[in-house]
Amino acid sequence: METTLRGVGVSHGVAIGEVRHMGTAVLEPPAKQIPAEDAEREQQRARKAVEAVAADLMARGNLAGGEAQAVLEAQAMMAQDPELMADVERRITVGSTAERAVYDAFAAYRALLAGAGEYLAGRVADLDDVRNRIVARLLGVPMPGVPDSDEPYVLIARDLAPADTALLDPTLVLGFVTEEGGPTSHSAILARALGVPAVVALPGAGELPEGTVVAVDGSTGEIFVNPGEEKKARLAAEAAERKAALAAATGPGATSDGHKVPLLANIGGPADVPAAVEAGAEGVGLFRTEFLFLDDSENAPSEEKQVTAYRQVLEAFPEGRVVVRVLDAGADKPLDFLTPGDEPNPALGVRGLRTLLDHPDVLRTQLTALAKAAEGLPVYLEVMAPMVADRADAKAFADACREAGLRAKFGAMVEIPSAALRARSVLQEVEFLSLGTNDLAQYTFAADRQVGAVSRLQDPWQPALLDLVALSAEAAKAEGKSCGVCGEAASDPLLACVLTGLGVTSLSMGAASLPYVRATLAKFTLAQCERAAAAARAADSAEEARTAAQAVLSGE
């Protein structure tokens, strides 16, 4: 019997295949005491297991490259956290086995993360994966992970750790569905980078029997269980139509009546550039420079190292636009030399620009490196600050840019509702705005971007979020300045049309989404996009907003 389930679609495309479940999590090790004379041996076992898991995560990162590499390297650092290791060794000293000590130490740290605010709570899935890998190695059992299969399948999991998502084989894993997660979780972002259809936040997904045939629509979030031949044929036809439209859509982003909407790429470093260039990105709308800093949490990268990395990216887009976000440290990206370790709620504390203003030497070095990297290049460099709250923040950043001799446009990210509400004030100090819709939604709705239970409030179709986008775009237009979107909202082709209708002047997304957005924008006029935007804002829920916009654009 055919049934339909609905989660949150996070990666475009359709996958039809049999269900395979993620390998079961590692069982809890028994709590047995060891003799005191065995403590040193157990501590050595624990250290070796930790180092092996960290090395494996680094190796997986090197294979995956791009954003996945940065995520996995962060996990490796998590495995080697000196405080965690000290706690493990302390527990072994008082009689725990190595595997039990690891299990209990990680459980204690997990509880701290879960209660430490939105961003750090979102790293719990990553921490659990590290724990499971270490315990599995100590117990001598298979690592948790994707199932072995010679035939293509649809993967079902409670959640997917970055280490699993990063190395999914798209020829075998047709798509995946998770019970937890959100549209901006690491797994969702990596799924889009891989081009694997994915749906998250689907309660009960784990109850689908092994071998059940499902059709996964990563655009709508629908899961069709036991689809009939007619449904399969319709989905296949729609997928073929999308593929043809993608192949036909080339060149700069624009509506069907010629209104230009530059389509830019979100990148984490030089490794992400080839995919962006291949997808036809007109530049970079978000260069996340923090990945350079996460290589060593105790020391900032040298000016020379930064110059090299920045220049590699700038050279890839001659006469293109490259928007660089200065270091966004804090919250889920703590750095020992910058961020305090005792904040009760890091996501609401000293993060982003606040951190940099507290450490002006770090900001000055980064801005100087950017200035040197751009010397002699025809690229249009723009530099923006994360977590700008008001005009005073914007002024402090612009002043720092000028003092560093940076010849570039200075901008502010709109991630805090106050910046959207007072956008005209902020624009007195900077030359452009860039909307980070992931954090803007998080702070608008008090909804952790990593928690599946509140994913409906992270939906970028929420009318309240669209109102804040409209306010920012209207302010920029009134000031004769630009206002782009660099959050994951831009990767939704239908929503991209609505954002264009709201007055957004550029859209930036993961490279894999660029062809979808380009093809969809080219179908509609600016006036149609404006009518769709008005209909979406008039709705009372995200689902109603999406339906209303779809109705306008489909001519219903």
Side-chain angles (χ1 to χ4, degrees):
M1 177 180 175
E2 182 180 322
T3 56
T4 303
L5 307 174
R6 183 182 287 277
V8 178
V10 297
S11 185
H12 306 299
V14 173
I16 302 174
E18 292 187 0
V19 163
R20 294 285 183 275
H21 287 271
M22 178 69 86
T24 55
V26 177
L27 296 175
E28 180 178 348
K32 61 181 182 182
Q33 291 290 108
I34 61 168
E37 58 268 24
D38 289 348
E40 187 175 342
R41 176 176 59 83
E42 290 295 290
Q43 288 174 344
Q44 188 174 3
R45 284 182 65 227
R47 285 192 291 270
K48 284 184 177 179
V50 165
E51 291 304 319
V53 167
D56 178 61
L57 290 168
M58 293 291 284
R60 286 168 176 258
N62 290 333
L63 283 173
E67 289 190 15
Q69 182 172 3
V71 171
L72 293 175
E73 286 176 353
Q75 264 198 300
M77 288 171 59
M78 186 181 284
Q80 297 171 300
D81 183 279
E83 290 186 17
L84 254 176
M85 199 61 226
D87 191 21
V88 169
E89 293 186 348
R90 181 188 63 77
R91 292 172 187 273
I92 292 173
T93 301
V94 295
S96 285
T97 61
E99 49 267 34
R100 185 69 206 192
V102 168
Y103 187 90
D104 289 341
F106 273 73
Y109 193 36
R110 187 186 199 279
L112 285 174
L113 285 187
E118 296 166 354
Y119 272 91
L120 290 179
R123 301 281 77 81
V124 164
D126 296 4
L127 185 71
D128 287 347
D129 180 59
V130 172
R131 177 204 64 201
N132 290 347
R133 290 173 184 278
I134 297 172
V135 171
R137 185 169 289 275
L138 287 165
L139 291 175
V141 300
M143 290 285 175
V146 296
D148 291 326
S149 176
D150 295 328
E151 298 296 323
Y153 59 90
V154 173
L155 180 62
I156 306 291
R158 181 177 178 184
D159 201 354
L160 277 171
D164 296 316
T165 315
L167 295 182
L168 289 179
D169 181 352
T171 63
L172 284 177
V173 181
L174 302 171
F176 68 74
V177 181
T178 66
E179 293 192 55
E180 298 182 355
T184 59
S185 65
H186 277 152
S187 292
I189 292 170
L190 295 178
R192 286 189 284 272
L194 287 165
V196 177
V199 172
V200 301
L202 180 67
E207 297 171 14
L208 290 169
E210 189 89 1
T212 303
V213 175
V214 297
V216 179
D217 191 329
S219 300
T220 65
E222 292 174 303
I223 309 294
F224 304 100
V225 183
N226 296 314
E229 292 305 316
E230 184 179 339
K231 176 61 66 65
K232 288 182 186 178
R234 181 175 68 78
L235 289 170
E238 289 176 356
E241 184 181 335
R242 288 177 194 167
K243 188 174 182 180
L246 293 180
T250 57
T255 58
S256 63
D257 56 340
H259 174 73
K260 293 183 179 180
V261 187
L263 301 180
L264 313 170
N266 294 344
I267 68 169
D272 294 334
V273 168
V277 172
E278 185 179 350
E282 297 169 58
V284 173
L286 173 62
F287 180 2
R288 302 181 182 95
T289 59
E290 57 268 20
F291 293 116
L292 266 174
F293 290 77
L294 291 173
D295 286 344
D296 182 353
S297 69
E298 296 183 2
N299 301 285
S302 67
E303 182 181 301
E304 292 73 22
K305 181 178 180 180
Q306 292 188 55
V307 170
T308 300
Y310 302 151
R311 194 167 180 90
Q312 281 182 265
V313 173
L314 297 176
E315 287 177 335
F317 296 95
E319 300 185 9
R321 178 185 178 199
V322 175
V323 184
V324 178
R325 180 177 71 189
V326 294
L327 176 62
D328 183 12
D332 67 331
K333 292 165 285 197
L335 294 170
D336 294 344
F337 67 95
L338 278 184
T339 49
D342 56 353
E343 282 190 295
N345 193 340
L348 301 180
V350 183
R351 177 196 166 189
L353 180 61
R354 299 167 187 173
T355 301
L356 293 174
L357 294 179
D358 279 353
H359 298 82
D361 54 324
V362 175
L363 177 58
R364 188 182 308 110
T365 299
Q366 186 170 25
L367 294 175
T368 301
L370 283 165
K372 290 183 177 179
E375 283 178 4
L377 297 180
V379 68
Y380 296 96
L381 176 62
E382 302 186 10
V383 182
M384 62 185 180
M387 302 299 289
V388 170
D390 55 15
R391 181 173 178 174
D393 278 352
K395 183 179 187 305
F397 178 66
D399 287 346
C401 288
R402 281 187 284 268
E403 288 169 12
L406 188 61
R407 291 185 177 181
K409 284 188 175 181
F410 316 141
M413 289 199 71
V414 177
E415 301 163 284
I416 302 173
S418 61
L421 293 168
R422 300 287 295 171
R424 288 198 73 170
S425 174
V426 170
L427 283 165
Q428 303 310 303
E429 304 294 342
V430 293
E431 298 171 81
F432 69 94
L433 300 177
S434 184
L435 289 144
T437 51
N438 306 345
D439 272 321
L440 185 58
Q442 173 169 254
Y443 291 125
T444 298
F445 297 104
D448 188 333
R449 57 192 280 189
Q450 301 289 339
V451 176
V454 293
S455 62
R456 77 174 186 86
L457 296 172
Q458 263 294 323
D459 192 324
W461 281 94
Q462 284 285 356
L465 186 64
L466 298 181
D467 287 343
L468 292 174
V469 173
L471 278 174
S472 302
E474 288 163 5
K477 184 178 181 180
E479 294 295 328
K481 296 179 179 180
S482 62
C483 176
V485 168
C486 64
E488 290 299 316
S491 65
D492 178 335
L494 182 61
L495 186 51
C497 295
V498 167
L499 294 172
T500 298
L502 292 174
V504 166
T505 56
S506 66
L507 299 167
S508 189
M509 65 209 74
S513 298
L514 284 165
Y516 291 92
V517 172
R518 183 184 295 112
T520 305
L521 265 180
K523 294 179 183 177
F524 306 107
T525 65
L526 177 59
Q528 286 176 298
C529 293
E530 289 172 341
R531 288 197 296 274
R537 288 185 69 189
D540 290 320
S541 70
E543 188 170 347
E544 288 175 11
R546 185 184 292 107
T547 301
Q550 180 70 68
V552 169
L553 294 176
S554 62
E556 295 176 8

